[in-house]
Amino acid sequence: MNYIILDLEWNQADDLKTKLESELMFEIIEVGAIKLNSEYMQIDSFHELIKPQVFNRMNQVTGELIHISMRELENCRNFCEAASDFLRWCGDDYIFCTWGNVDLTELQKNMDFYHMPGLSKKPIKYYDVQKLFSIAFEDKKKRRALQFAVEFLNIKEEVAFHRADADAFYTAKVFKKVAAADGVLKNYSFDTYRLPKNKAEEINAVFEDYAKYISREFINKLAAMNDKDVVSTKCFLCGAKTRKKVPWFSNNGRNYYSVMVCPRHGNIKGKIRMKKSVNDKIYVVKTMKQVNMDTVNDIIMKRNQLREGRRERRHRT
Ligand SMILES: [Zn+2]
């Protein structure tokens, strides 16, 4: 399997009104990619500028950041031609790698805008190199700029950042270092621009100490919380029935938490995030994670504070 390290640059309207009215918020104007083989050796590269068809002026901030003028794009090919060539270039057996979690969504949005055949009918498994960098070298939760990672890893800075070809080049360099770190490539991600269409397509991915579940769409939160797989508290490691220490509760209506105890694997924290789909429906991302007593106590405290708050409000009225 090859690795396609992809980076995109896009343009947008300067003013909020045009931005919100436009069917396409981010118009891709540059594609940069590096192809690595299964040994992480570079075997090819792809780079193309794209002639815009939605926005005919360069957003001021974007223009200053990436140093591309509209005049440079005038004689380029349009998105459909460039994207079709790019996808042919990718081949058949590959996995995408991007810095952060937005490029694959924007690529698919642009493809849909031009009614191109979709990249996938389901969520796309890929590597978020920004996330992998933090897992390998820093705190798991941090999100660093590409330049930070390049400097952190003493990678030689040969070209300026913020152009698609340059950023793909640097991301590939970071990816190689990340891939050499033990076990890090187990932590793949899913792009959820396309959601599971039915129960059978739902994602249940088990990692070393946590699991991720991505649901199909529901009409609303209530429907989601009525689904037995969404609220299931079975142990993600052994499938055993757990004891509910803290049943699902929510402090803001968007995130739900629970704590369960598996006889073999101890305390497990459950977190449900309600997410809005592109169709204005709801889908669920649930994570289950083995945790220590400190985390359990934090959740119990959060739940108790919520109860106190409710009690106080009742007394005041
Ligand atoms: Zn278990």
Side-chain angles (χ1 to χ4, degrees), residues 105-167:
T105 295
E106 293 313 324
L107 176 62
Q108 291 175 91
K109 277 187 186 168
N110 276 255
M111 289 171 69
D112 272 3
F113 180 79
Y114 294 110
H115 308 288
M116 290 176 67
L119 204 53
S120 170
K121 292 189 169 75
K122 292 191 288 189
I124 299 174
K125 190 171 163 177
Y126 75 104
Y127 284 120
D128 174 349
V129 187
Q130 187 185 41
K131 177 169 132 183
L132 298 182
F133 168 75
S134 293
I135 290 173
F137 302 109
E138 285 208 304
D139 168 359
K140 213 173 183 172
K141 285 191 172 150
K142 282 204 172 115
R143 284 269 173 195
R144 295 293 197 179
L146 179 56
Q147 192 163 358
F148 176 93
V150 166
E151 280 162 14
F152 184 94
L153 297 171
N154 292 315
I155 293 165
K156 201 171 150 213
E157 293 178 40
E158 295 168 41
V159 280
F161 285 86
H162 302 305
R163 284 292 299 266
D165 51 346
D167 285 4

Short mmCIF file of all heavy atoms in Angstrom, two decimals, residues 105-167:
data_model
loop_
_atom_site.label_atom_id
_atom_site.label_comp_id
_atom_site.label_asym_id
_atom_site.label_seq_id
_atom_site.Cartn_x
_atom_site.Cartn_y
_atom_site.Cartn_z
N THR A 105 -12.28 16.50 3.75
CA THR A 105 -13.65 17.04 3.71
C THR A 105 -13.77 18.10 2.63
O THR A 105 -14.70 18.08 1.82
CB THR A 105 -14.03 17.62 5.09
OG1 THR A 105 -14.07 16.57 6.03
CG2 THR A 105 -15.38 18.30 5.05
N GLU A 106 -12.81 19.02 2.58
CA GLU A 106 -12.89 20.09 1.57
C GLU A 106 -12.74 19.53 0.15
O GLU A 106 -13.40 19.99 -0.78
CB GLU A 106 -11.83 21.16 1.84
CG GLU A 106 -12.05 21.96 3.12
CD GLU A 106 -13.49 22.46 3.30
OE1 GLU A 106 -14.14 22.83 2.30
OE2 GLU A 106 -13.96 22.49 4.46
N LEU A 107 -11.88 18.53 -0.02
CA LEU A 107 -11.74 17.90 -1.33
C LEU A 107 -13.08 17.33 -1.78
O LEU A 107 -13.53 17.54 -2.91
CB LEU A 107 -10.67 16.80 -1.27
CG LEU A 107 -10.47 15.98 -2.55
CD1 LEU A 107 -10.00 16.88 -3.70
CD2 LEU A 107 -9.45 14.85 -2.33
N GLN A 108 -13.76 16.63 -0.89
CA GLN A 108 -15.05 16.02 -1.24
C GLN A 108 -16.13 17.07 -1.47
O GLN A 108 -16.99 16.91 -2.34
CB GLN A 108 -15.47 15.04 -0.14
CG GLN A 108 -14.58 13.82 -0.09
CD GLN A 108 -14.93 12.91 1.06
OE1 GLN A 108 -15.73 12.00 0.94
NE2 GLN A 108 -14.33 13.16 2.22
N LYS A 109 -16.11 18.14 -0.69
CA LYS A 109 -17.09 19.22 -0.90
C LYS A 109 -16.93 19.82 -2.28
O LYS A 109 -17.90 20.09 -2.98
CB LYS A 109 -16.91 20.31 0.15
CG LYS A 109 -17.60 20.01 1.47
CD LYS A 109 -17.52 21.20 2.40
CE LYS A 109 -18.09 20.83 3.76
NZ LYS A 109 -17.78 21.83 4.79
N ASN A 110 -15.68 20.07 -2.69
CA ASN A 110 -15.42 20.63 -4.02
C ASN A 110 -15.84 19.65 -5.11
O ASN A 110 -16.42 20.03 -6.12
CB ASN A 110 -13.94 21.00 -4.17
CG ASN A 110 -13.62 22.38 -3.59
OD1 ASN A 110 -13.42 23.35 -4.30
ND2 ASN A 110 -13.59 22.48 -2.26
N MET A 111 -15.56 18.37 -4.91
CA MET A 111 -15.96 17.36 -5.89
C MET A 111 -17.48 17.29 -6.02
O MET A 111 -18.02 17.19 -7.12
CB MET A 111 -15.38 16.00 -5.51
CG MET A 111 -13.87 15.94 -5.70
SD MET A 111 -13.12 14.44 -5.02
CE MET A 111 -13.77 13.22 -6.16
N ASP A 112 -18.18 17.36 -4.90
CA ASP A 112 -19.65 17.35 -4.93
C ASP A 112 -20.20 18.59 -5.63
O ASP A 112 -21.19 18.51 -6.36
CB ASP A 112 -20.19 17.33 -3.49
CG ASP A 112 -20.34 15.91 -2.97
OD1 ASP A 112 -19.97 14.98 -3.71
OD2 ASP A 112 -20.82 15.74 -1.83
N PHE A 113 -19.55 19.71 -5.40
CA PHE A 113 -20.00 20.97 -6.00
C PHE A 113 -20.03 20.85 -7.53
O PHE A 113 -20.91 21.40 -8.19
CB PHE A 113 -19.06 22.10 -5.56
CG PHE A 113 -19.41 23.45 -6.12
CD1 PHE A 113 -20.44 24.19 -5.57
CD2 PHE A 113 -18.70 23.97 -7.19
CE1 PHE A 113 -20.77 25.44 -6.08
CE2 PHE A 113 -19.03 25.21 -7.72
CZ PHE A 113 -20.06 25.96 -7.16
N TYR A 114 -19.04 20.13 -8.07
CA TYR A 114 -18.97 19.95 -9.54
C TYR A 114 -19.60 18.63 -9.99
O TYR A 114 -19.39 18.20 -11.12
CB TYR A 114 -17.52 20.04 -10.01
CG TYR A 114 -16.93 21.41 -9.80
CD1 TYR A 114 -15.95 21.64 -8.84
CD2 TYR A 114 -17.37 22.49 -10.57
CE1 TYR A 114 -15.42 22.91 -8.64
CE2 TYR A 114 -16.84 23.76 -10.38
CZ TYR A 114 -15.87 23.95 -9.42
OH TYR A 114 -15.35 25.22 -9.22
N HIS A 115 -20.34 17.99 -9.09
CA HIS A 115 -21.02 16.72 -9.39
C HIS A 115 -20.08 15.65 -9.91
O HIS A 115 -20.42 14.88 -10.80
CB HIS A 115 -22.16 16.95 -10.39
CG HIS A 115 -23.09 18.03 -9.96
ND1 HIS A 115 -23.97 17.88 -8.93
CD2 HIS A 115 -23.25 19.32 -10.39
CE1 HIS A 115 -24.64 19.02 -8.74
NE2 HIS A 115 -24.21 19.90 -9.61
N MET A 116 -18.88 15.63 -9.37
CA MET A 116 -17.95 14.56 -9.75
C MET A 116 -18.32 13.29 -8.98
O MET A 116 -18.93 13.38 -7.91
CB MET A 116 -16.52 14.97 -9.39
CG MET A 116 -15.97 16.08 -10.24
SD MET A 116 -14.31 16.58 -9.68
CE MET A 116 -13.33 15.11 -10.06
N PRO A 117 -17.95 12.11 -9.51
CA PRO A 117 -18.19 10.89 -8.73
C PRO A 117 -17.45 10.99 -7.40
O PRO A 117 -16.31 11.47 -7.35
CB PRO A 117 -17.56 9.79 -9.59
CG PRO A 117 -17.33 10.39 -10.93
CD PRO A 117 -17.24 11.87 -10.76
N GLY A 118 -18.08 10.57 -6.34
CA GLY A 118 -17.51 10.76 -4.99
C GLY A 118 -16.24 9.97 -4.77
O GLY A 118 -15.98 8.95 -5.42
N LEU A 119 -15.44 10.44 -3.86
CA LEU A 119 -14.20 9.77 -3.47
C LEU A 119 -14.53 8.46 -2.77
O LEU A 119 -13.83 7.46 -2.91
CB LEU A 119 -13.47 10.70 -2.50
CG LEU A 119 -11.98 10.62 -2.32
CD1 LEU A 119 -11.28 10.71 -3.65
CD2 LEU A 119 -11.52 11.75 -1.40
N SER A 120 -15.61 8.48 -2.00
CA SER A 120 -16.03 7.31 -1.25
C SER A 120 -17.49 7.49 -0.86
O SER A 120 -17.97 8.60 -0.74
CB SER A 120 -15.17 7.17 0.01
OG SER A 120 -15.72 6.19 0.86
N LYS A 121 -18.19 6.37 -0.66
CA LYS A 121 -19.57 6.46 -0.21
C LYS A 121 -19.66 6.36 1.31
O LYS A 121 -20.71 6.47 1.90
CB LYS A 121 -20.39 5.33 -0.84
CG LYS A 121 -20.58 5.49 -2.34
CD LYS A 121 -21.57 4.47 -2.86
CE LYS A 121 -21.98 4.75 -4.29
NZ LYS A 121 -20.93 4.40 -5.27
N LYS A 122 -18.51 6.11 1.92
CA LYS A 122 -18.47 5.88 3.36
C LYS A 122 -17.42 6.80 4.01
O LYS A 122 -16.67 7.46 3.30
CB LYS A 122 -18.08 4.43 3.63
CG LYS A 122 -19.13 3.45 3.20
CD LYS A 122 -18.84 2.06 3.70
CE LYS A 122 -17.69 1.39 2.98
NZ LYS A 122 -17.51 -0.01 3.30
N PRO A 123 -17.34 6.81 5.33
CA PRO A 123 -16.22 7.54 5.96
C PRO A 123 -14.89 7.03 5.42
O PRO A 123 -14.77 5.84 5.12
CB PRO A 123 -16.38 7.19 7.44
CG PRO A 123 -17.82 6.86 7.61
CD PRO A 123 -18.24 6.21 6.33
N ILE A 124 -13.93 7.91 5.28
CA ILE A 124 -12.63 7.53 4.72
C ILE A 124 -11.61 7.37 5.84
O ILE A 124 -11.39 8.28 6.65
CB ILE A 124 -12.12 8.59 3.72
CG1 ILE A 124 -13.10 8.71 2.55
CG2 ILE A 124 -10.73 8.22 3.20
CD1 ILE A 124 -12.76 9.84 1.60
N LYS A 125 -10.98 6.20 5.85
CA LYS A 125 -9.91 5.93 6.81
C LYS A 125 -8.65 6.65 6.32
O LYS A 125 -8.30 6.54 5.14
CB LYS A 125 -9.69 4.42 6.85
CG LYS A 125 -8.80 3.93 7.94
CD LYS A 125 -8.89 2.40 7.95
CE LYS A 125 -7.73 1.81 8.72
NZ LYS A 125 -7.80 0.35 8.81
N TYR A 126 -8.01 7.41 7.18
CA TYR A 126 -6.81 8.13 6.76
C TYR A 126 -5.91 8.38 7.97
O TYR A 126 -6.28 8.08 9.11
CB TYR A 126 -7.20 9.46 6.09
CG TYR A 126 -7.66 10.53 7.05
CD1 TYR A 126 -6.83 11.61 7.39
CD2 TYR A 126 -8.92 10.47 7.65
CE1 TYR A 126 -7.25 12.59 8.29
CE2 TYR A 126 -9.33 11.45 8.55
CZ TYR A 126 -8.50 12.50 8.86
OH TYR A 126 -8.90 13.46 9.75
N TYR A 127 -4.75 8.95 7.71
CA TYR A 127 -3.86 9.33 8.80
C TYR A 127 -3.84 10.85 8.94
O TYR A 127 -3.55 11.56 7.97
CB TYR A 127 -2.43 8.84 8.56
CG TYR A 127 -2.25 7.36 8.82
CD1 TYR A 127 -1.83 6.50 7.81
CD2 TYR A 127 -2.49 6.84 10.08
CE1 TYR A 127 -1.67 5.14 8.05
CE2 TYR A 127 -2.33 5.48 10.33
CZ TYR A 127 -1.92 4.65 9.32
OH TYR A 127 -1.76 3.31 9.57
N ASP A 128 -4.14 11.32 10.14
CA ASP A 128 -4.00 12.73 10.46
C ASP A 128 -2.59 12.90 11.05
O ASP A 128 -2.36 12.56 12.21
CB ASP A 128 -5.09 13.13 11.46
CG ASP A 128 -4.93 14.56 11.95
OD1 ASP A 128 -3.89 15.19 11.67
OD2 ASP A 128 -5.86 15.05 12.63
N VAL A 129 -1.67 13.39 10.24
CA VAL A 129 -0.26 13.43 10.63
C VAL A 129 -0.05 14.40 11.80
O VAL A 129 0.81 14.19 12.65
CB VAL A 129 0.64 13.80 9.42
CG1 VAL A 129 2.11 13.69 9.79
CG2 VAL A 129 0.34 12.89 8.23
N GLN A 130 -0.86 15.43 11.86
CA GLN A 130 -0.79 16.37 12.99
C GLN A 130 -1.07 15.63 14.31
O GLN A 130 -0.37 15.81 15.30
CB GLN A 130 -1.81 17.49 12.77
CG GLN A 130 -1.71 18.61 13.78
CD GLN A 130 -2.81 19.64 13.59
OE1 GLN A 130 -3.97 19.28 13.33
NE2 GLN A 130 -2.47 20.91 13.69
N LYS A 131 -2.09 14.81 14.29
CA LYS A 131 -2.44 14.01 15.47
C LYS A 131 -1.34 12.99 15.77
O LYS A 131 -0.93 12.83 16.93
CB LYS A 131 -3.78 13.31 15.21
CG LYS A 131 -4.25 12.39 16.29
CD LYS A 131 -5.70 11.99 16.03
CE LYS A 131 -5.88 10.49 16.17
NZ LYS A 131 -7.26 10.08 15.85
N LEU A 132 -0.83 12.32 14.74
CA LEU A 132 0.21 11.31 14.94
C LEU A 132 1.48 11.93 15.51
O LEU A 132 2.16 11.33 16.34
CB LEU A 132 0.53 10.60 13.62
CG LEU A 132 -0.61 9.82 12.96
CD1 LEU A 132 -0.12 9.13 11.69
CD2 LEU A 132 -1.20 8.78 13.90
N PHE A 133 1.80 13.15 15.05
CA PHE A 133 2.98 13.84 15.57
C PHE A 133 2.86 14.02 17.09
O PHE A 133 3.80 13.75 17.84
CB PHE A 133 3.16 15.21 14.89
CG PHE A 133 4.18 16.08 15.56
CD1 PHE A 133 5.53 15.84 15.42
CD2 PHE A 133 3.77 17.13 16.38
CE1 PHE A 133 6.47 16.64 16.07
CE2 PHE A 133 4.70 17.93 17.03
CZ PHE A 133 6.06 17.68 16.87
N SER A 134 1.68 14.46 17.54
CA SER A 134 1.49 14.68 18.98
C SER A 134 1.52 13.37 19.75
O SER A 134 2.07 13.31 20.84
CB SER A 134 0.16 15.40 19.22
OG SER A 134 0.25 16.70 18.70
N ILE A 135 0.95 12.31 19.18
CA ILE A 135 0.98 11.01 19.86
C ILE A 135 2.42 10.52 19.98
O ILE A 135 2.84 10.03 21.02
CB ILE A 135 0.11 9.98 19.09
CG1 ILE A 135 -1.37 10.34 19.21
CG2 ILE A 135 0.36 8.56 19.63
CD1 ILE A 135 -2.29 9.49 18.36
N ALA A 136 3.19 10.69 18.91
CA ALA A 136 4.55 10.15 18.90
C ALA A 136 5.52 10.96 19.76
O ALA A 136 6.38 10.41 20.43
CB ALA A 136 5.07 10.08 17.46
N PHE A 137 5.37 12.28 19.73
CA PHE A 137 6.42 13.11 20.32
C PHE A 137 5.97 14.04 21.43
O PHE A 137 6.79 14.64 22.10
CB PHE A 137 7.11 13.94 19.23
CG PHE A 137 7.68 13.09 18.14
CD1 PHE A 137 7.11 13.08 16.87
CD2 PHE A 137 8.79 12.29 18.38
CE1 PHE A 137 7.64 12.28 15.86
CE2 PHE A 137 9.32 11.49 17.38
CZ PHE A 137 8.75 11.49 16.11
N GLU A 138 4.65 14.22 21.58
CA GLU A 138 4.19 15.21 22.56
C GLU A 138 3.00 14.69 23.32
O GLU A 138 2.76 13.51 23.40
CB GLU A 138 3.81 16.49 21.82
CG GLU A 138 5.01 17.28 21.35
CD GLU A 138 4.64 18.74 21.29
OE1 GLU A 138 3.67 19.08 20.59
OE2 GLU A 138 5.29 19.51 21.96
N ASP A 139 2.23 15.59 23.83
CA ASP A 139 0.99 15.26 24.50
C ASP A 139 -0.07 14.98 23.44
O ASP A 139 -0.22 15.72 22.49
CB ASP A 139 0.62 16.46 25.39
CG ASP A 139 -0.78 16.38 25.93
OD1 ASP A 139 -1.49 15.40 25.62
OD2 ASP A 139 -1.16 17.27 26.67
N LYS A 140 -0.78 13.88 23.63
CA LYS A 140 -1.76 13.40 22.66
C LYS A 140 -2.76 14.47 22.20
O LYS A 140 -3.24 14.46 21.08
CB LYS A 140 -2.52 12.26 23.32
CG LYS A 140 -2.97 11.17 22.38
CD LYS A 140 -3.54 10.04 23.23
CE LYS A 140 -3.95 8.88 22.33
NZ LYS A 140 -4.32 7.71 23.08
N LYS A 141 -3.11 15.39 23.11
CA LYS A 141 -4.20 16.31 22.80
C LYS A 141 -3.76 17.56 22.06
O LYS A 141 -4.58 18.34 21.60
CB LYS A 141 -4.93 16.69 24.09
CG LYS A 141 -5.79 15.55 24.57
CD LYS A 141 -6.72 15.97 25.68
CE LYS A 141 -7.70 14.85 25.98
NZ LYS A 141 -8.12 14.84 27.35
N LYS A 142 -2.46 17.78 21.95
CA LYS A 142 -1.99 19.02 21.35
C LYS A 142 -2.18 19.03 19.84
O LYS A 142 -2.11 18.01 19.18
CB LYS A 142 -0.51 19.20 21.67
CG LYS A 142 -0.30 19.71 23.08
CD LYS A 142 1.03 20.44 23.21
CE LYS A 142 1.11 21.11 24.56
NZ LYS A 142 2.16 20.54 25.40
N ARG A 143 -2.43 20.24 19.31
CA ARG A 143 -2.50 20.42 17.86
C ARG A 143 -1.45 21.45 17.49
O ARG A 143 -1.57 22.61 17.86
CB ARG A 143 -3.89 20.92 17.45
CG ARG A 143 -4.95 19.84 17.47
CD ARG A 143 -5.06 19.16 16.13
NE ARG A 143 -5.96 18.01 16.15
CZ ARG A 143 -5.98 17.10 15.19
NH1 ARG A 143 -5.18 17.21 14.15
NH2 ARG A 143 -6.80 16.08 15.24
N ARG A 144 -0.39 21.01 16.81
CA ARG A 144 0.71 21.90 16.49
C ARG A 144 0.69 22.32 15.04
O ARG A 144 0.16 21.64 14.18
CB ARG A 144 2.04 21.18 16.76
CG ARG A 144 2.27 20.85 18.20
CD ARG A 144 2.47 22.11 19.02
NE ARG A 144 3.09 21.79 20.31
CZ ARG A 144 3.39 22.69 21.22
NH1 ARG A 144 3.14 23.97 21.00
NH2 ARG A 144 3.95 22.35 22.35
N ALA A 145 1.32 23.47 14.75
CA ALA A 145 1.47 23.90 13.37
C ALA A 145 2.53 23.01 12.70
O ALA A 145 3.42 22.48 13.36
CB ALA A 145 1.92 25.35 13.32
N LEU A 146 2.42 22.87 11.39
CA LEU A 146 3.37 22.04 10.64
C LEU A 146 4.80 22.52 10.85
O LEU A 146 5.72 21.73 11.03
CB LEU A 146 2.99 22.06 9.15
CG LEU A 146 3.88 21.28 8.20
CD1 LEU A 146 4.01 19.81 8.60
CD2 LEU A 146 3.34 21.37 6.77
N GLN A 147 4.96 23.85 10.84
CA GLN A 147 6.31 24.40 11.01
C GLN A 147 6.90 24.02 12.37
O GLN A 147 8.09 23.74 12.47
CB GLN A 147 6.28 25.93 10.85
CG GLN A 147 7.69 26.50 10.73
CD GLN A 147 7.70 27.91 10.16
OE1 GLN A 147 6.67 28.47 9.82
NE2 GLN A 147 8.89 28.48 10.05
N PHE A 148 6.05 23.99 13.39
CA PHE A 148 6.52 23.58 14.73
C PHE A 148 7.09 22.16 14.67
O PHE A 148 8.18 21.89 15.18
CB PHE A 148 5.37 23.65 15.74
CG PHE A 148 5.75 23.16 17.11
CD1 PHE A 148 6.20 24.05 18.07
CD2 PHE A 148 5.68 21.80 17.42
CE1 PHE A 148 6.57 23.59 19.34
CE2 PHE A 148 6.07 21.33 18.69
CZ PHE A 148 6.50 22.23 19.64
N ALA A 149 6.35 21.26 14.04
CA ALA A 149 6.77 19.85 13.95
C ALA A 149 8.08 19.73 13.16
O ALA A 149 8.97 18.98 13.54
CB ALA A 149 5.68 19.02 13.29
N VAL A 150 8.19 20.50 12.09
CA VAL A 150 9.39 20.46 11.25
C VAL A 150 10.61 20.91 12.06
O VAL A 150 11.67 20.28 12.02
CB VAL A 150 9.19 21.33 9.98
CG1 VAL A 150 10.50 21.59 9.26
CG2 VAL A 150 8.19 20.65 9.04
N GLU A 151 10.42 21.98 12.81
CA GLU A 151 11.53 22.48 13.63
C GLU A 151 11.84 21.54 14.79
O GLU A 151 12.99 21.25 15.09
CB GLU A 151 11.20 23.89 14.15
CG GLU A 151 11.46 24.92 13.07
CD GLU A 151 10.78 26.26 13.32
OE1 GLU A 151 10.32 26.51 14.45
OE2 GLU A 151 10.72 27.06 12.36
N PHE A 152 10.80 21.01 15.40
CA PHE A 152 10.94 20.07 16.52
C PHE A 152 11.77 18.85 16.10
O PHE A 152 12.58 18.33 16.85
CB PHE A 152 9.55 19.64 16.98
CG PHE A 152 9.52 18.75 18.19
CD1 PHE A 152 9.37 19.28 19.47
CD2 PHE A 152 9.61 17.37 18.05
CE1 PHE A 152 9.34 18.45 20.58
CE2 PHE A 152 9.59 16.53 19.16
CZ PHE A 152 9.44 17.08 20.42
N LEU A 153 11.55 18.40 14.87
CA LEU A 153 12.22 17.18 14.39
C LEU A 153 13.51 17.47 13.62
O LEU A 153 14.10 16.58 13.01
CB LEU A 153 11.25 16.38 13.50
CG LEU A 153 9.98 15.85 14.20
CD1 LEU A 153 9.00 15.27 13.20
CD2 LEU A 153 10.35 14.80 15.25
N ASN A 154 13.94 18.74 13.66
CA ASN A 154 15.17 19.15 12.97
C ASN A 154 15.17 18.80 11.49
O ASN A 154 16.18 18.36 10.94
CB ASN A 154 16.40 18.51 13.63
CG ASN A 154 16.63 19.10 15.02
OD1 ASN A 154 16.55 20.31 15.21
ND2 ASN A 154 16.88 18.23 15.98
N ILE A 155 14.03 18.97 10.86
CA ILE A 155 13.95 18.72 9.41
C ILE A 155 14.41 20.00 8.70
O ILE A 155 14.02 21.10 9.09
CB ILE A 155 12.49 18.37 9.02
CG1 ILE A 155 12.10 17.00 9.63
CG2 ILE A 155 12.33 18.35 7.50
CD1 ILE A 155 10.61 16.71 9.62
N LYS A 156 15.25 19.83 7.70
CA LYS A 156 15.80 20.98 6.99
C LYS A 156 14.69 21.75 6.27
O LYS A 156 13.90 21.17 5.52
CB LYS A 156 16.84 20.50 5.97
CG LYS A 156 17.82 21.56 5.56
CD LYS A 156 18.95 20.95 4.73
CE LYS A 156 19.44 21.99 3.76
NZ LYS A 156 19.89 21.42 2.50
N GLU A 157 14.65 23.08 6.50
CA GLU A 157 13.61 23.89 5.84
C GLU A 157 14.12 24.38 4.50
O GLU A 157 14.87 25.34 4.43
CB GLU A 157 13.20 25.05 6.77
CG GLU A 157 12.49 24.53 8.01
CD GLU A 157 12.10 25.63 9.00
OE1 GLU A 157 11.66 26.71 8.55
OE2 GLU A 157 12.25 25.40 10.20
N GLU A 158 13.71 23.70 3.45
CA GLU A 158 14.26 23.98 2.12
C GLU A 158 13.41 24.98 1.34
O GLU A 158 13.91 25.69 0.49
CB GLU A 158 14.40 22.67 1.32
CG GLU A 158 15.42 21.73 1.94
CD GLU A 158 15.37 20.33 1.36
OE1 GLU A 158 15.22 20.21 0.13
OE2 GLU A 158 15.48 19.36 2.13
N VAL A 159 12.11 24.98 1.59
CA VAL A 159 11.21 25.90 0.87
C VAL A 159 10.26 26.57 1.85
O VAL A 159 10.11 26.11 2.98
CB VAL A 159 10.37 25.15 -0.21
CG1 VAL A 159 11.19 24.91 -1.47
CG2 VAL A 159 9.86 23.82 0.33
N ALA A 160 9.61 27.65 1.41
CA ALA A 160 8.68 28.38 2.29
C ALA A 160 7.42 27.55 2.53
O ALA A 160 6.96 26.82 1.65
CB ALA A 160 8.32 29.71 1.66
N PHE A 161 6.85 27.70 3.73
CA PHE A 161 5.63 26.97 4.09
C PHE A 161 4.40 27.58 3.39
O PHE A 161 4.49 28.61 2.74
CB PHE A 161 5.42 27.02 5.61
CG PHE A 161 6.34 26.11 6.36
CD1 PHE A 161 7.61 26.54 6.72
CD2 PHE A 161 5.96 24.82 6.70
CE1 PHE A 161 8.48 25.71 7.42
CE2 PHE A 161 6.82 23.98 7.39
CZ PHE A 161 8.08 24.42 7.75
N HIS A 162 3.25 26.92 3.58
CA HIS A 162 1.92 27.41 3.17
C HIS A 162 1.63 27.30 1.69
O HIS A 162 0.64 27.86 1.22
CB HIS A 162 1.68 28.86 3.63
CG HIS A 162 1.79 29.01 5.11
ND1 HIS A 162 1.06 28.25 5.98
CD2 HIS A 162 2.58 29.81 5.86
CE1 HIS A 162 1.38 28.58 7.22
NE2 HIS A 162 2.30 29.52 7.18
N ARG A 163 2.44 26.62 0.93
CA ARG A 163 2.04 26.27 -0.43
C ARG A 163 1.80 24.77 -0.42
O ARG A 163 2.44 24.03 0.32
CB ARG A 163 3.14 26.65 -1.43
CG ARG A 163 3.21 28.16 -1.70
CD ARG A 163 1.98 28.66 -2.45
NE ARG A 163 1.81 28.03 -3.74
CZ ARG A 163 2.28 28.55 -4.89
NH1 ARG A 163 2.92 29.70 -4.89
NH2 ARG A 163 2.08 27.91 -6.01
N ALA A 164 0.87 24.31 -1.27
CA ALA A 164 0.44 22.91 -1.20
C ALA A 164 1.60 21.94 -1.42
O ALA A 164 1.72 20.93 -0.72
CB ALA A 164 -0.66 22.66 -2.23
N ASP A 165 2.48 22.25 -2.41
CA ASP A 165 3.58 21.32 -2.68
C ASP A 165 4.58 21.31 -1.53
O ASP A 165 5.07 20.26 -1.11
CB ASP A 165 4.26 21.63 -4.02
CG ASP A 165 4.65 23.10 -4.15
OD1 ASP A 165 4.17 23.93 -3.36
OD2 ASP A 165 5.45 23.40 -5.06
N ALA A 166 4.85 22.51 -0.97
CA ALA A 166 5.80 22.59 0.14
C ALA A 166 5.25 21.90 1.39
O ALA A 166 5.95 21.11 2.04
CB ALA A 166 6.10 24.06 0.46
N ASP A 167 3.98 22.16 1.70
CA ASP A 167 3.40 21.58 2.91
C ASP A 167 3.26 20.06 2.80
O ASP A 167 3.44 19.33 3.77
CB ASP A 167 2.06 22.24 3.24
CG ASP A 167 2.26 23.65 3.82
OD1 ASP A 167 3.43 24.09 3.87
OD2 ASP A 167 1.27 24.29 4.21
#
